[in-house]
Amino acid sequence: MLADQFDAFLLDLDGVVHVGPDPLPGAVDALARLRHRGKILRFLTNDPRPTRAEVADRLTAMGVQAELGEIVTAGWATAVHLQRRGAARVYVVGSSGLAEELRAAGLQLLEHGDPHAVVVGCDEAVGYPHLRRAATLIRRGAQFIATNPDPTFPTRQGPWPATGAITAAVSIASGVRPLVIGKPAPAMFHAALAGLAPGVRAAMVGDTLDTDVLGAHQAGLTAILIAEEPPAALSSRDPRAPDATIADLSRLFDPAQPLRSPPPPTFPWPQEIRPGVAAVVFDAAGRVLLVRRADNGLWGLPSGHVEPGETVAHAAEREVLEETGLRVRVSRLVGIYSEPASQVVTYPDGRVCHFITASFACAVVGGGLRPDGVEALAADFFPTDQLPTDLLRMHPQWLTDALHGHTGTFR
Ligand SMILES: [Mg+2]
């Protein structure tokens, strides 16, 4: 049974332990049984509004024993994160509970002057002056912290705007993306696992794939989903695919419940998928055109992303012209590639993109080698058996597919 396979259980609250003010079937008894067996329990919520004491009181009122030190809210995890990084002064857009947690961690809450960080959490009283001040301070250099990413929270009247909606407004106005603390971000899991002995076997139990399951896997934990049915149509490599699905917490004690081993994460989770192009250009001597990329210093085929309104063929021809000064014409499609281990790219601002790249064989029709110095530090033709060793990971494969005349390769 799952209960025997772990020493510690990280439990999401809403949808796992309770729904609204009511405990879920089997939850109170299952949590008491876990505690009786000496399991370590942590209760996690992305709701940044209540204090930990308020959450503990709420659980106690439902019949769930919970100590203050077992509660991990996104607000408290934010306070811990800021405290560890020495951010002493903060401007807060958020609830009184969030402000209380930040003060309790020794942080000074500023209404005037320049803070180290701007903290944005869900706040039902947020107004234009808060957004204006937050964006202005971030533009002046304050770090931008979001307590959690959730765009909405459920109510009887339907979904209402949550932290993610407010941080989106500040993000667009400041031009800066926030550092997110709540699930699925690692900071929340670091806060939950802090103080546990090394080697403790921990599992996360949650009801949301994009936060609980994804975050658990990124933190190297087993992920148990609370749902009637396992999610359909997720590949086994998708980090949102849970390792076990159970209807409620009582099933932790089901001797027949299977558990798969979580696949180790091999790439950071992308926020978006973008179309990309690459060009395989040979000269008359059969040498291949490579550029030394400015962003990582590695050699690679000319490549980039498709701009709005462009065909993929035009995008390939434009990228070669921009990066190298050569005019080329696409002659044939070599392949379409999406291998995430090499085509998930993390940008300096924290954005993570997964590229789907169409690679084309191209012929030179004019121009001359003039690397632009912005995207390409250098450009040159290389004999295909004397390629530089510091070459982008997938590019030798793309070149091989082009050399062997393959058409329509896909990976
Ligand atoms: Mg939940």
Side-chain angles (χ1 to χ4, degrees):
M1 66 181 72
L2 294 172
D4 286 342
Q5 297 182 50
F6 301 97
D7 311 307
F9 288 89
L10 277 50
L11 300 132
D12 174 46
L13 285 177
D14 209 353
V16 174
V17 175
H18 61 79
V19 168
D22 304 314
L24 278 161
V28 173
D29 179 56
L31 291 168
R33 287 175 74 186
L34 287 175
R35 198 178 283 285
H36 184 68
R37 287 173 182 234
K39 304 298 178 184
I40 299 163
L41 302 181
R42 294 288 182 270
F43 299 100
L44 277 65
T45 175
N46 261 11
D47 188 347
R49 294 169 300 170
T51 63
R52 287 192 302 160
E54 286 165 350
V55 174
D57 289 347
R58 214 179 285 164
L59 288 172
T60 305
M62 289 175 202
V64 174
Q65 186 192 339
E67 310 296 330
L68 192 66
E70 295 173 333
I71 311 290
V72 182
T73 67
W76 177 72
T78 300
V80 170
H81 175 88
L82 289 167
Q83 192 186 37
R84 287 206 185 120
R85 274 153 190 77
R89 300 188 308 276
V90 295
Y91 174 66
V92 183
V93 179
S95 68
S96 57
L98 173 60
E100 196 177 322
E101 288 291 7
L102 295 170
R103 269 194 218 98
L107 300 161
Q108 188 188 353
L109 273 52
L110 297 188
E111 280 306 316
H112 305 285
D114 283 330
H116 295 113
V118 171
V119 174
V120 176
C122 186
D123 183 6
E124 283 147 63
V126 70
Y128 183 80
H130 303 106
L131 302 180
R132 183 180 59 205
R133 180 155 173 73
T136 303
L137 291 170
I138 292 163
R139 280 191 180 278
R140 272 195 227 148
Q143 199 190 357
F144 181 13
I145 305 274
T147 54
N148 58 303
D150 307 59
T152 60
F153 63 92
T155 75
R156 285 201 177 86
Q157 289 80 39
W160 284 10
T163 303
I166 302 169
T167 54
V170 175
S171 189
I172 286 173
S174 64
V176 176
R177 294 166 55 83
L179 173 74
V180 177
I181 301 294
K183 298 172 292 177
M188 185 79 167
F189 290 86
H190 291 162
L193 295 168
L196 301 194
V200 162
R201 299 170 303 165
M204 171 77 203
V205 188
D207 67 324
T208 309
L209 301 179
D210 289 331
T211 55
D212 302 320
V213 176
L214 173 63
H217 283 156
Q218 286 180 328
L221 304 177
T222 297
I224 301 168
L225 179 72
I226 299 282
E228 290 299 327
E229 297 285 338
L234 286 179
S235 81
S236 61
R237 291 201 315 173
D238 190 320
R240 295 169 303 176
D243 307 307
T245 302
I246 56 176
D248 60 56
L249 288 178
S250 70
R251 297 304 183 94
L252 291 173
F253 300 92
D254 180 350
Q257 176 60 50
L259 177 72
R260 71 165 188 154
S261 299
T266 54
F267 56 91
W269 185 243
Q271 288 106 25
E272 56 183 318
I273 296 177
R274 301 191 66 176
V277 288
V280 186
V281 184
F282 296 109
D283 67 3
R287 298 176 306 169
V288 65
L289 177 64
L290 298 178
V291 298
R292 187 187 274 283
R293 298 178 57 88
D295 54 358
N296 55 22
L298 298 175
W299 287 93
L301 299 166
S303 60
H305 56 254
V306 181
E307 296 287 349
E310 240 179 0
T311 66
V312 282
H314 281 142
E317 292 166 358
R318 175 188 50 74
E319 283 291 344
V320 176
L321 179 63
E322 278 180 4
E323 293 182 4
T324 71
L326 285 178
R327 293 189 178 281
V328 298
R329 282 285 171 272
V330 161
S331 54
R332 67 183 169 88
L333 174 68
V334 173
I336 295 180
Y337 305 92
S338 64
E339 179 53 54
S342 61
Q343 282 172 265
V344 172
V345 175
T346 304
Y347 288 97
D349 69 355
R351 214 160 30 102
V352 183
C353 292
H354 182 178
F355 279 91
I356 311 286
T357 301
S359 178
F360 294 98
C362 303
V364 178
V365 295
L369 271 185
R370 282 185 303 277
D372 67 355
V374 179
E375 284 188 61
L377 300 176
D380 211 345
F381 284 93
F382 289 79
T384 55
D385 58 354
Q386 293 172 43
L387 299 174
T389 51
D390 49 347
L391 195 56
L392 281 164
R393 183 168 159 181
M394 283 291 285
H395 290 209
Q397 183 63 54
W398 301 354
L399 174 58
T400 301
D401 289 345
L403 280 171
H404 292 173
H406 293 160
T407 301
T409 303
F410 52 90
R411 292 171 201 279

